[in-house]
Amino acid sequence: MNPFVRIDKASGRITVTVPVPDTGQGVRTAVAMMVAEELKVPVESLAIEQAEGDPDTYGPQISANSNTMQRVHEPIRTAAATVRHLLVKAAARRWQVAEAECRAADGFVRHGDSRFSYRELAEEAAALTPGEVELTPRDEWQVLGNPAVKRVDQDAIVTGKLAYAVDQPSDLVAVIARPPWIGAAPTDFDATGVRDAEVVRLADGFALLAEDTYTAIKARENLKTSWQGGFPDADSDQWLAELEAALPAGNTPPGAFIEKIFVTPMLAHAPMEPPTATAEVNGGAVTLWAPTQAPDRVRKLLEEEFESVRVIPTRAGGAFGRKFETDFILEAVQLARHTGKTVKVLWTRDDDIQHDSYRPLSVHRVRATVNDEGLPVWRDHAVSTWPLSSMLDVTSNPQMMKMMSAGKYPYDVPGEVHFAITSPPIRTGFWRSVYAGQLVYADEMFLSGLEMADNQVERRLKLLADQRVRKVLEAAAEAHEGAPQAVACHRDYGSVIAVIAETTHNGRTKITAAVDVGTALHPPGVRQQVEGAVMDAISVAQGAQITVRQGKVVQKSFGDYPWARIGDTPEINVVVLESDAPVGGLGELAYPAAAAALGFLSR
């Protein structure tokens, strides 16, 4: 059975199963384009469904670390090409002709003036044994790489018809009174003022369950709670001082050198859709609807407690690493088991920003020896930061972190990176580009800040031995009509990018980015990912950060966590280069370079 493509024998409808969640990055469109290309049908003729959490059928289903397209493009294209091969084989048998004399196109297999529809051939083709199949050569692509193909769910998104996790029906809605300071444990509550809602004590809060959202939120407002323990005096300025004191010694060169310190702030994910999950528990069976980035991981987690598990990924209104976490999911499951009803857990925007798994705070000391021309000829990068709470076994190991950062520095300057990892005083997690957004920021800010006679593009070209990075930088410089006041480059996930930024005479910010992801399967999607990363970078450059005072996160909403608005959007020009490299990753690629370029521009 083909897990990715099936043809209905009655209607001829072709259904494509997307194996990984779409969190807004456009994976549904890319998968549909792959199938359309290999089956020689229009994208709009396909029905698209989302796979449930089922790693035995679909393999790894995690949508993270910019590896989705790298992981799925070959299996899905091969699956679709196999279907085409079997349809041709079935038709050739009917006509008793050679398969090479038949061709598939537009939902039919043709031989001369004769033809059979895919529907007519579906049952017979399904009974045949496939042989070796060939994927459509790149120079014959009609769908893949075509910039005219629009996102498959574009119209549903802009008209509000697309259903998200919050649209999932449920018997009860739950909101949770969460700790008033970091690490506080619930002790007691007074529900005297609560109406039409049940209060359930959880390990780290009190759930308010009601038949509708308004009633649940009003009940939380009227609930009086008591807490103990935790860290009511926690302060992020103190955390920063501790990280600065913990900077590793690193290497000190003989003679004169330049040294600079950089700080990257804590950040919340703040996706437009806060965490939401709906669960139904019936004895030893659980069904979950959630915008998870890892349905296979969630399924394995729930299989530890339940005999039967269904994980149904909903569309996600943004994720950026937040929906790799399972806290909101486990809350829904626990409350569904407690009530025996279908329960939807809703996080408000305040919940989301004040109780997130944050990007770690980090301090960087960059040292370099320079030559007579002012170019660095030796460097040393010391980092003091926290590990990720969800991956302590890996990210708390300085040697492992050093290994993971190797090979990402694109310039031909020898040097080392040293990590000092201290226990996180707050929950931390994956945030778009993870540690690369911090390391690249410091390295490129340092390079940009050197006192030199050349411009920002020239100094990098003098240092670049990596030809792919050189090409994207040269392409960005050629496309950028203006003065390259700030420049940054990055290579990761099998892809490369260069970003140029300047402030124009009228005060507007102008960005040019050139990107090489190997084979650009959907060029508009490539541009959109880069544009989204630029907007994240603008937000941080303009001062968005998470701070802690008197034990609690200060920021609550977009009012005081000022993520970029439409009016902050700069002029963005994205140049997509093609190369012979394999399909590369993209979702996290652009942020580090954009953050460094915009950070230097706004210093």
Side-chain angles (χ1 to χ4, degrees):
M1 178 180 176
N2 190 318
F4 303 119
V5 184
R6 67 178 187 271
I7 300 175
D8 184 81
K9 299 170 186 176
S11 66
R13 184 72 163 174
I14 302 172
T15 300
V16 178
T17 301
V18 181
V20 295
D22 194 322
T23 63
Q25 77 276 45
V27 65
R28 289 163 63 91
T29 299
V31 169
M33 291 175 70
M34 296 175 203
V35 173
E37 183 65 67
E38 296 301 339
L39 281 180
K40 312 304 176 187
V41 295
V43 172
E44 55 270 19
S45 71
L46 302 173
I48 301 170
E49 65 179 25
Q50 190 69 49
E52 295 186 12
D54 185 1
D56 292 338
T57 299
Y58 300 105
Q61 293 178 277
I62 293 176
S63 180
N65 200 34
S66 294
N67 66 11
T68 300
M69 287 300 102
Q70 292 172 293
R71 193 174 69 245
V72 307
H73 82 278
E74 186 171 341
I76 289 174
R77 287 187 62 200
T78 300
T82 299
V83 172
R84 169 170 48 84
H85 164 72
L86 292 174
L87 291 168
V88 170
K89 190 172 184 178
R93 285 192 174 196
R94 286 194 184 188
W95 287 315
Q96 296 185 337
V97 298
E99 293 175 30
E101 297 177 13
C102 307
R103 66 182 183 90
D106 300 322
F108 295 91
V109 178
R110 291 179 169 84
H111 180 264
D113 294 331
S114 300
R115 71 179 191 179
F116 288 118
S117 68
Y118 290 176
R119 180 186 61 80
E120 294 175 281
L121 297 167
E123 185 170 6
E124 185 177 345
L128 298 175
T129 301
E132 293 292 325
V133 298
E134 293 184 2
L135 303 182
T136 303
R138 190 168 172 178
D139 59 2
E140 295 180 14
W141 283 0
Q142 298 296 314
V143 180
L144 288 173
N146 186 344
V149 177
K150 70 177 185 179
R151 292 177 70 133
V152 295
D153 43 16
Q154 176 177 300
D155 293 345
I157 291 173
V158 299
T159 58
K161 294 178 181 178
L162 191 66
Y164 291 88
V166 72
D167 300 308
Q168 180 65 32
S170 64
D171 298 323
L172 297 172
V173 174
V175 296
I176 297 171
R178 302 184 183 279
W181 62 83
I182 295 168
T187 57
D188 202 359
F189 67 90
D190 178 356
T192 303
V194 173
R195 298 288 182 270
D196 301 321
E198 179 185 1
V199 183
V200 178
R201 187 196 303 264
L202 303 177
D204 58 355
F206 302 95
L208 287 301
L209 295 110
E211 293 185 354
D212 60 78
T213 304
Y214 176 81
T215 303
I217 290 177
K218 291 301 293 183
R220 183 171 67 171
E221 292 174 356
N222 293 326
L223 183 71
K224 297 178 181 178
T225 59
S226 300
W227 307 78
Q228 68 179 9
F231 306 95
D233 298 323
D235 188 288
S236 53
D237 283 348
Q238 179 61 34
W239 295 346
L240 177 58
E242 292 169 356
L243 287 175
E244 289 174 340
L247 271 168
N251 297 322
T252 302
F257 62 90
I258 299 170
E259 176 180 299
K260 294 186 179 181
I261 300 291
F262 303 96
V263 174
T264 62
M266 282 193 297
L267 296 173
H269 297 84
M272 290 306 297
E273 171 204 42
T276 301
T278 300
E280 178 181 71
V281 174
N282 184 7
V286 59
T287 302
L288 175 79
W289 296 265
T292 172
Q293 289 179 247
D296 51 349
R297 177 172 177 258
V298 171
R299 175 168 169 165
K300 289 181 178 179
L301 180 65
L302 294 179
E303 284 176 340
E304 296 175 3
E305 297 187 52
F306 296 94
E307 297 174 2
S308 174
V309 176
R310 286 187 69 193
V311 177
I312 304 172
T314 61
R315 285 303 306 276
F320 316 117
R322 176 63 180 96
K323 289 161 189 173
F324 181 78
E325 307 282 353
T326 59
D327 50 347
F328 60 103
I329 288 169
L330 296 180
E331 290 169 350
V333 171
Q334 181 178 352
L335 293 171
R337 180 154 51 184
H338 170 79
T339 62
K341 296 182 178 181
T342 305
V343 176
K344 180 192 304 179
V345 168
L346 294 176
W347 286 49
T348 63
R349 177 61 63 201
D350 287 15
D351 292 338
D352 175 42
I353 290 181
Q354 294 204 307
H355 302 277
D356 195 6
S357 55
Y358 303 97
R359 185 184 84 163
L361 186 65
S362 68
V363 180
H364 303 253
R365 185 191 62 235
V366 183
R367 294 168 173 166
T369 299
V370 300
N371 60 19
D372 293 340
E373 197 177 355
L375 290 170
V377 294
W378 173 93
R379 70 182 183 98
D380 189 77
H381 188 159
V383 185
S384 179
T385 188
W386 304 324
L388 306 183
S389 300
S390 55
M391 281 193 68
L392 286 175
D393 56 332
V394 174
T395 56
S396 61
N397 184 332
Q399 292 305 313
M400 188 70 72
M401 294 284 286
K402 186 174 183 178
M403 184 181 71
M404 291 193 301
S405 66
K408 297 182 181 181
Y409 186 77
Y411 305 108
D412 192 20
V413 181
E416 289 189 68
V417 180
H418 312 273
F419 286 90
I421 310 295
T422 55
S423 296
I426 196 169
R427 192 165 67 128
T428 56
F430 293 99
W431 194 95
R432 191 174 200 168
S433 83
V434 200
Y435 292 102
Q438 296 146 298
L439 292 167
V440 173
Y441 174 85
D443 282 328
E444 288 286 4
M445 287 285 286
F446 182 89
L447 182 56
S448 294
L450 293 177
E451 296 295 333
M452 296 173 62
D454 61 2
N455 67 35
Q456 297 287 348
V457 173
E458 290 171 353
R459 72 179 59 178
R460 285 166 173 81
L461 289 174
K462 293 173 184 176
L463 295 171
L464 279 170
D466 186 315
Q467 292 304 306
R468 284 185 77 194
V469 181
R470 287 187 67 89
K471 286 181 180 179
V472 292
L473 179 54
E474 290 169 344
E478 182 178 353
H480 189 80
E481 298 177 356
Q485 298 165 345
V487 178
C489 302
H490 183 41
R491 65 180 180 193
D492 211 347
Y493 318 106
S495 302
V496 295
I497 189 169
V499 176
I500 294 176
E502 72 163 306
T503 301
T504 62
H505 66 279
N506 60 5
R508 292 290 306 278
T509 301
K510 181 178 179 180
I511 303 288
T512 302
V515 59
D516 171 4
V517 295
T519 302
L521 301 176
H522 186 220
V526 173
R527 294 188 179 92
Q528 290 157 12
Q529 286 289 317
V530 173
E531 290 166 352
V534 167
M535 295 306 294
D536 285 346
I538 282 178
S539 305
V540 180
Q542 291 180 345
Q545 63 176 315
I546 291 296
T547 55
V548 172
R549 300 287 182 267
Q550 296 180 330
K552 67 182 299 181
V553 171
V554 174
Q555 292 73 25
K556 289 186 176 182
S557 69
F558 289 126
D560 51 11
Y561 187 62
W563 220 246
R565 273 55 167 181
I566 291 176
D568 298 316
T569 306
E571 177 185 341
I572 306 174
N573 178 28
V574 181
V575 180
V576 182
L577 278 66
E578 291 284 339
S579 73
D580 294 331
V583 173
L586 176 61
E588 302 177 272
L589 176 74
Y591 174 78
L598 287 161
F600 185 74
L601 195 67
S602 62
R603 69 197 188 285

